Amino acid sequence: MKIAVLAGDGIGSEIIREAVRVLQALDLPGLELIPADVGGMAYKKHGHPLPAETLQIARAADGILFGAVGDPDCDNLERHLRPEQAILGLRKELGLFANLRPAKVFKGLEDASALRPEVAGAIDLLIVRELNGDVYFGEKGIRTLPDGRRQGWDMMSYAEDEVRRIAHVAFKAAMGRKKKLCSVDKANVLETFQLWRDVVSEVAADYPEVELTHMYVDNAAMQLVRNPGQFDVIVTGNMFGDILSDQASMCVGSIGMLASASLSEGKLGLYEPIHGSAPDIAGKGLANPMATVLSAAMLLRHSLGLEEQAARIEAAVARALADGIRGADLGGTLGTVAIGDAIVERL
Ligand code: NAD
């Protein structure tokens, strides 16, 4: 069981250290943790944010535990050398096409949400976002029309196999949860999403136990704040998923709590907190490591098939929160290491 550990920049090394301690506390036989450089620190050492050696280590691993990339020193580099390009490179090179973002309100954190506590308390959903297609990857440009006006254009498309494979990921995820899947599209206006709806409906035949519904994206955005408790699994395209997953994250409170997984067709996946490198608090020992610890739990579940150990980590985080363990992002006073200690103790 090989895990590539890519801490990256800013708070990356601080939060990853705690997640690694949690993994080590499980004492899993055969677990090998292999560190590698990524992001701005990799650029400074090797001249590239995703060095060939790092890519090789990532490719050979069963799962990748990722901290964060982003370094203000690198903001003026050519685009392909900026730290954030490492994430795009890993997604592309490793075929990471499915982004899973669970959003759940832990007991005691209902007040951290932007929503009323009784609405927020009901949130326990998973957004499955397609990551390799849609309007983000189509042909694009800015051209001048014959009358001299400039026009920006981006081509939106999905091929049926791209929709089918993300639909299978979502249906399988729903089978492991409450067996409810909501596919979010804009089939009333966009042909791309009419095909999306048709293909998701076809795939549903393979999962008769899952209750499938369809929702237009504008309604979904509204329902996510009106009654988020109605959702179990949501599947959607790259752009709608980009927006809805950020919206869902604010519904559950602090950015320091949310984990994510990016999966390939095999068992390899990349697991990371949804936040960035937080240069404003880097090196101060203030970052909340819980999102990274929860990302490590997702790694055990999805890439190593260790459901029981993943659930143990999640329970330890929930117990710590219930006991009042809070970082500054949640209005508390505890630092990164103290939060890590609290989780390890409860494991
Ligand atoms: P950010 O997520 O790094 O920080 C936003 C705010 O949230 C900051 O005030 C920060 O202190 C706080 N915060 C973030 N994580 C926290 C944690 N674990 N505990 C407590 N507080 C936390 O976003 P940003 O400031 O917009 O971006 C900083 C850098 O990170 C940029 O270079 C950006 O490109 C990069 N970034 C990287 C990723 C990634 O690695 N996947 C994602 C987003 C942003």
Side-chain angles (χ1 to χ4, degrees), residues 181-185 196-198 200-201 212-216:
L181 176 62
C182 178
S183 171
V184 170
D185 63 39
W196 174 282
R197 186 175 282 221
D198 295 346
V200 172
S201 300
L212 172 67
T213 53
H214 302 276
M215 195 179 277
Y216 297 135

Side-chain angles (χ1 to χ4, degrees), residues 32-272:
E32 203 184 328
L33 300 165
I34 308 157
D37 297 333
V38 75
M41 54 86 81
Y43 171 77
K44 287 171 184 167
K45 255 167 102 174
H46 311 279
H48 198 281
L50 182 58
E53 193 195 337
T54 299
L55 188 56
Q56 205 180 345
I57 289 172
R59 212 190 284 282
D62 298 303
I64 303 159
L65 185 61
F66 194 94
V69 290
D71 178 345
D73 289 354
C74 298
D75 280 353
N76 294 321
L77 292 175
E78 280 177 60
R79 189 162 294 280
H80 74 283
L81 293 175
R82 292 198 199 158
E84 293 81 357
Q85 293 299 312
I87 279 269
L88 301 178
L90 283 163
R91 279 182 192 162
K92 185 161 157 261
E93 292 292 330
L94 305 176
L96 304 171
F97 71 94
N99 188 235
L100 271 57
R101 259 196 207 187
K104 176 181 171 173
V105 174
F106 285 91
K107 265 204 168 20
L109 287 193
E110 295 85 350
D111 288 333
S113 168
L115 303 178
R116 285 199 310 278
E118 68 272 20
V119 177
I123 301 176
D124 182 3
L125 60 87
L126 174 71
I127 297 191
V128 178
R129 166 190 169 197
E130 202 286 332
L131 219 48
N132 283 176
D134 204 348
V135 67
Y136 290 4
F137 287 90
E139 280 182 43
K140 59 190 73 215
I142 296 177
R143 60 193 168 202
T144 305
L145 298 172
D147 64 7
R149 285 178 303 146
R150 286 173 302 157
Q151 183 187 53
W153 61 280
D154 299 84
M155 162 96 164
M156 173 182 274
S157 70
Y158 262 123
E160 60 178 313
D161 54 309
E162 293 175 304
V163 181
R164 199 168 287 120
R165 70 177 182 173
I166 193 75
H168 278 292
V169 171
F171 275 105
K172 283 181 187 145
M175 286 296 289
R177 296 174 49 105
K178 293 184 214 135
K179 300 193 171 69
K180 278 172 64 182
L181 176 62
C182 178
S183 171
V184 170
D185 63 39
K186 192 72 185 169
N188 49 344
V189 180
L190 300 169
E191 289 303 317
T192 303
F193 279 92
Q194 182 57 55
L195 179 81
W196 174 282
R197 186 175 282 221
D198 295 346
V199 174
V200 172
S201 300
E202 289 161 23
V203 174
D206 291 350
Y207 304 88
E209 287 175 54
V210 177
E211 178 200 328
L212 172 67
T213 53
H214 302 276
M215 195 179 277
Y216 297 135
V217 63
D218 40 350
N219 186 24
M222 193 262 280
Q223 296 296 337
L224 260 179
V225 287
R226 193 187 74 87
N227 176 19
Q230 70 185 285
F231 295 109
D232 179 22
V233 180
I234 291 174
V235 63
T236 190
N238 202 348
M239 179 163 65
F240 299 154
D242 191 0
I243 299 165
L244 291 181
S245 56
D246 268 26
Q247 187 186 340
S249 67
M250 263 333 284
C251 295
V252 295
S254 168
I255 195 165
M257 292 300 309
L258 288 156
S260 79
S262 300
L263 307 179
S264 66
E265 281 190 276
K267 62 179 181 166
L268 179 61
L270 182 147
Y271 303 82
E272 59 173 335

Side-chain angles (χ1 to χ4, degrees), residues 11 66 68-70 84 255-256 272 275-281 287-288 329:
I11 60 171
F66 194 94
V69 290
E84 293 81 357
I255 195 165
E272 59 173 335
H275 58 73
S277 57
D280 54 336
I281 57 168
N288 182 354
D329 58 318

